[in-house]
Amino acid sequence: DTGVSQNPRHKITKRGQNVTFRCDPISEHNRLYWYRQTLGQGPEFLTYFQNEAQLEKSRLLSDRFSAERPKGSFSTLEIQRTEQGDSAMYLCASSLVAGERTRRADTQYFGPGTRLTVL
Amino acid sequence: KNQVEQSPQSLIILEGKNCTLQCNYTVSPFSNLRWYKQDTGRGPVSLTIMTFSENTKSNGRYTATLDADTKQSSLHITASQLSDSASYICVVSTYGGSQGNLIFGKGTKLSVKP
């Protein structure tokens, strides 16, 4: 399967614990996006990378959240001191664009998501 | 403020029937509009993408329309099947702005009953 993969698919944790999710994009894609989706809502943008550089972060990304893409391939999203309000589906998407800040919108391919439940 | 509004919020139809989902947007500058299908517990999958100059695009039993003047789009599903049960999300692309360039609607939850 050459699509976007995410691990784990499901994560249940207790409030206050740290969790880390992984996203493996389509291999030749240089952009990687993280979104959060709660029940009955559309995805909300969190952050995105162009290669290893984190180019934008949403105000939704509090200081408890950190994302990395150290080698420009896979990415991790860590949530520290989880809260019940962090319970959501975390989606990753990847795309291939030319140029660092292209003005043309790119086609994003989504992974299956990681569903986080904070008890 | 860039926004995408979808209606209805949810819809129940019988297998074999047709249905139309609506999307209104206030996004500027406009780049393109996409419809995604999202099965429960899965990531969204792209159905159609339309630029400013296109007013209709088909993908099998799915036909999307775009009226750039009124900033409205619709997704028509013909001869619905049980597998069409999913959320359908309208996404408008902008550029040169924030939010990674995609503005998402909240989706319409479609249930197709036998």
Side-chain angles (χ1 to χ4, degrees):
Chain A
D1 187 350
T2 57
V4 178
S5 62
Q6 293 186 244
N7 287 288
R9 293 293 310 277
H10 304 274
K11 179 69 178 179
I12 300 173
T13 191
K14 293 182 179 179
R15 188 177 54 185
Q17 297 295 306
N18 299 343
V19 294
T20 300
F21 311 140
R22 176 178 169 126
C23 171
D24 286 89
I26 294 172
S27 60
E28 66 270 23
H29 284 186
N30 51 4
R31 274 202 185 167
L32 187 147
Y33 297 78
W34 284 100
Y35 294 89
R36 183 177 71 184
Q37 186 177 26
T38 53
L39 200 61
Q41 303 293 316
E44 298 172 294
F45 169 77
L46 292 178
T47 186
Y48 87 93
F49 293 83
Q50 174 96 1
N51 300 311
E52 67 276 7
Q54 190 171 16
L55 294 188
E56 188 179 344
K57 291 191 288 186
S58 162
R59 58 182 173 79
L60 293 175
L61 211 67
S62 75
D63 56 5
R64 296 185 298 106
F65 288 70
S66 62
E68 294 182 343
R69 195 184 183 197
K71 299 181 180 179
S73 56
F74 73 91
S75 175
T76 57
L77 178 68
E78 181 183 16
I79 308 174
Q80 296 181 325
R81 306 181 303 281
T82 52
E83 301 172 356
Q84 288 184 323
D86 296 331
S87 295
M89 173 80 86
Y90 289 84
L91 293 165
C92 174
S94 72
S95 67
L96 178 64
V97 297
E100 184 171 287
R101 290 186 185 272
T102 179
R103 287 178 57 83
R104 184 171 58 84
D106 50 324
T107 297
Q108 299 182 20
Y109 296 85
F110 285 83
T114 294
R115 179 165 294 284
L116 172 66
T117 301
V118 181
L119 302 175
Chain B
K1 180 182 177 183
N2 287 334
Q3 281 188 314
V4 175
E5 302 285 342
Q6 291 188 243
S7 62
Q9 190 173 25
S10 61
L11 182 62
I12 300 174
I13 63 172
L14 293 177
E15 186 180 11
K17 298 296 187 182
N18 303 337
C19 67
T20 300
L21 314 180
Q22 301 291 341
C23 173
N24 297 337
Y25 62 92
T26 54
V27 177
S28 180
F30 174 89
S31 178
N32 58 60
L33 185 146
R34 311 148 195 249
W35 283 93
Y36 280 87
K37 177 185 179 187
Q38 185 174 24
D39 293 313
T40 301
R42 299 288 190 96
V45 175
S46 180
L47 293 176
T48 64
I49 177 170
M50 289 180 292
T51 60
F52 185 87
S53 59
E54 297 175 297
N55 53 24
T56 187
K57 185 72 70 78
S58 291
N59 178 1
R61 295 180 296 103
Y62 301 102
T63 300
T65 65
L66 173 65
D67 185 334
D69 292 331
T70 61
K71 297 186 177 180
Q72 295 179 325
S73 175
S74 66
L75 180 69
H76 185 75
I77 304 175
T78 304
S80 60
Q81 300 176 359
L82 298 179
S83 59
D84 293 331
S85 295
S87 286
Y88 291 84
I89 304 175
C90 176
V91 186
V92 179
S93 295
T94 183
Y95 53 83
S98 62
Q99 302 185 44
N101 293 339
L102 295 187
I103 314 299
F104 289 80
K106 294 182 179 181
T108 291
K109 186 175 176 61
L110 174 66
S111 297
V112 181
K113 303 295 187 184

